Amino acid sequence: MLEEQRLRIEGRARRLRRTESIRRMLRETRLHQDMLVAPVFVTEGEGRVEEIEGMPGVSRHSVDELPKYLERLTGAGIRGVLLFGVPDSKDEAGTGAYARDGIIPRTLRAIKPSFPELVAMADVCMCEYTSHGHCGVLAGKEVDNDRTLPLLARAAVEYARAGADVVAPSAMMDGQVLAIRKALEESGSDDTIVMGYSAKHASAFYKPFRSAAGSAPSFGDRRSYQMQPGNRREAMREIRLDVEEGADMVMVKPALAYLDVIAEARRRFDVPLAAYNVSGEYSMLKAAALNGWLDEKLAVQEVLTGIRGAGADLIITYFAEQASRWIEEGW
Ligand code: PBG
């Protein structure tokens, strides 16, 4: 082909962007309501709907208030929720995490019969339930990995028994997926899906979540168990270990600063991949939008498209309900 002819064909990219219909037809990355999961915070008490500091538009709900809220989510086309318990009392050993009548089992028993189609995912961690706010039990000032494993396994078994479709260990303890998978099988919950928070980074972007759940560590930080940013090879190792231990799905968290990790995980592994667009990522967009500094709808569309484009099958986001409505309207 002559050089001039080649340029006439290949060099004119704008031809394909001329009208809205052409652009829509040629869109490479599409978002679908089915891929959105809404995180849900559940508190003790009755009649409580409390807006979370730093997360305008996101609230904690008491169990009795949940059906109304879940109607809204499912009405918007949401198929999955990720449940977080916010108990009134906490202790050194985080007993609320694995108590049979703890907040998450009670929530699951209350909602599952009325929302059988909703995919109920339950976060499995200790930090919302421990008085010190760390993700496992302590040995001195350290988190004791191996003494935490049976407690996470007990929690997962209780959640599965109470009706969770998916249990999602987020404590970043080594061997947590294997411990949970074994315990689920031994207790007859073979069908419960395990979604590993496999590449979970020690991130500044969890701060609003910790105020929502009252789970900030009372001393130190989580850097001895959560991953340091920028270690993509280590992230692949964490994901590989979770897959070998029996994770049905894996996750990269947070999403925006880790799109490279999402993209590489997509290339390397065949299990479904979730990305968690975390609390601080919500807060920064929301704050800018409320100040009129950003157009919220356009910004949310762009961010979720980027996460999807990087390779996430599932996006866990506090924008889920709103984004789902926008997707239905065709943005
Ligand atoms: C529990 C957990 C955290 C998040 C999800 N599960 C907090 C943390 O690790 O401190 C954060 C989610 C968010 O910021 O939206 N370990």
Side-chain angles (χ1 to χ4, degrees):
M1 211 190 299
L2 288 174
E3 180 62 6
E4 191 197 316
Q5 218 172 3
R6 192 185 68 78
L7 277 175
R8 221 167 36 225
I9 298 163
E10 288 182 18
R12 288 294 177 170
R14 284 184 53 190
R15 210 175 268 144
L16 302 177
R17 300 177 196 148
R18 206 169 42 82
T19 71
E20 176 67 3
S21 291
I22 294 171
R23 289 192 295 272
R24 279 180 181 265
M25 195 177 274
L26 301 180
R27 196 167 274 176
E28 293 181 36
T29 304
R30 295 172 206 273
L31 292 163
H32 197 284
Q33 296 168 301
D34 289 350
M35 61 182 62
L36 300 177
V37 173
V40 171
F41 297 99
V42 193
T43 64
E44 305 280 4
E46 277 175 28
R48 284 167 79 177
V49 180
E50 305 159 346
E51 187 158 285
I52 293 161
E53 198 192 324
M55 301 183 75
V58 181
S59 301
R60 287 182 289 256
H61 294 79
S62 53
V63 179
D64 61 316
E65 291 287 340
L66 268 185
K68 243 188 297 177
Y69 181 48
L70 297 182
E71 280 303 338
R72 222 173 78 196
L73 290 178
T74 52
I78 296 297
R79 293 192 181 275
V81 291
L82 178 57
L83 299 169
F84 293 97
V86 188
D88 271 348
S89 68
K90 307 181 187 231
D91 57 32
E92 191 72 12
T95 48
Y98 44 87
R100 182 145 303 177
D101 64 346
I103 182 136
I104 291 297
R106 273 186 284 124
T107 301
L108 286 161
R109 284 191 290 266
I111 65 172
K112 209 49 204 177
S114 0
F115 297 90
E117 300 299 324
L118 183 66
V119 181
M121 309 182 170
D123 184 84
V124 178
C125 194
M126 306 296 288
C127 66
E128 298 97 321
Y129 304 92
T130 51
S131 43
H132 46 75
H134 278 288
C135 299
V137 287
L138 298 181
K141 294 276 170 199
E142 303 267 333
V143 174
D144 188 329
N145 192 89
D146 292 4
R147 281 207 305 126
T148 301
L149 295 179
L151 306 182
L152 295 171
R154 262 176 77 182
V157 166
E158 291 302 335
Y159 303 169
R161 272 202 188 123
D165 299 290
V166 179
V167 291
S170 68
M172 287 300 277
M173 295 298 120
D174 292 332
Q176 61 183 10
V177 168
L178 183 62
I180 287 172
R181 184 80 267 167
K182 267 175 63 180
L184 287 173
E185 264 149 48
E186 280 161 17
S187 65
S189 294
D190 309 55
D191 287 339
T192 307
I193 294 166
V194 178
M195 173 168 72
Y197 277 69
S198 311
K200 176 173 177 179
H201 298 83
S203 171
F205 291 95
Y206 306 153
K207 190 167 180 185
F209 173 98
R210 290 178 190 168
S211 81
S215 64
S218 61
F219 66 89
D221 54 45
R222 303 207 202 291
R223 285 183 291 183
S224 69
Y225 42 103
Q226 298 180 347
M227 281 187 56
Q228 64 175 316
N231 279 21
R232 193 165 69 215
R233 285 202 314 264
E234 187 183 352
M236 294 308 116
R237 176 174 170 225
E238 283 282 7
I239 294 171
R240 177 173 53 76
L241 286 168
D242 274 8
V243 171
E244 286 170 2
E245 288 180 29
D248 303 285
M249 305 199 254
V250 295
M251 189 198 296
V252 173
K253 175 184 175 195
L256 292 182
Y258 304 91
L259 294 174
D260 62 328
V261 181
I262 296 173
E264 181 147 0
R266 170 71 298 142
R267 274 194 297 275
R268 288 221 210 169
F269 301 97
D270 292 328
V271 292
L273 174 63
Y276 198 147
N277 180 220
V278 300
S279 57
E281 298 177 310
Y282 174 87
S283 300
M284 64 181 178
L285 276 193
K286 201 72 186 177
L290 287 171
N291 273 293
W293 298 333
L294 283 178
D295 179 315
E296 185 175 3
K297 187 160 132 181
L298 289 175
V300 170
Q301 183 180 26
E302 190 171 334
V303 160
L304 297 183
T305 299
I307 297 169
R308 170 67 180 155
D313 298 297
L314 216 63
I315 305 175
I316 302 162
T317 175
Y318 301 91
F319 287 112
E321 180 190 355
Q322 181 64 78
S324 190
R325 295 188 195 282
W326 281 331
I327 290 169
E328 199 168 342
E329 291 163 19
W331 296 94

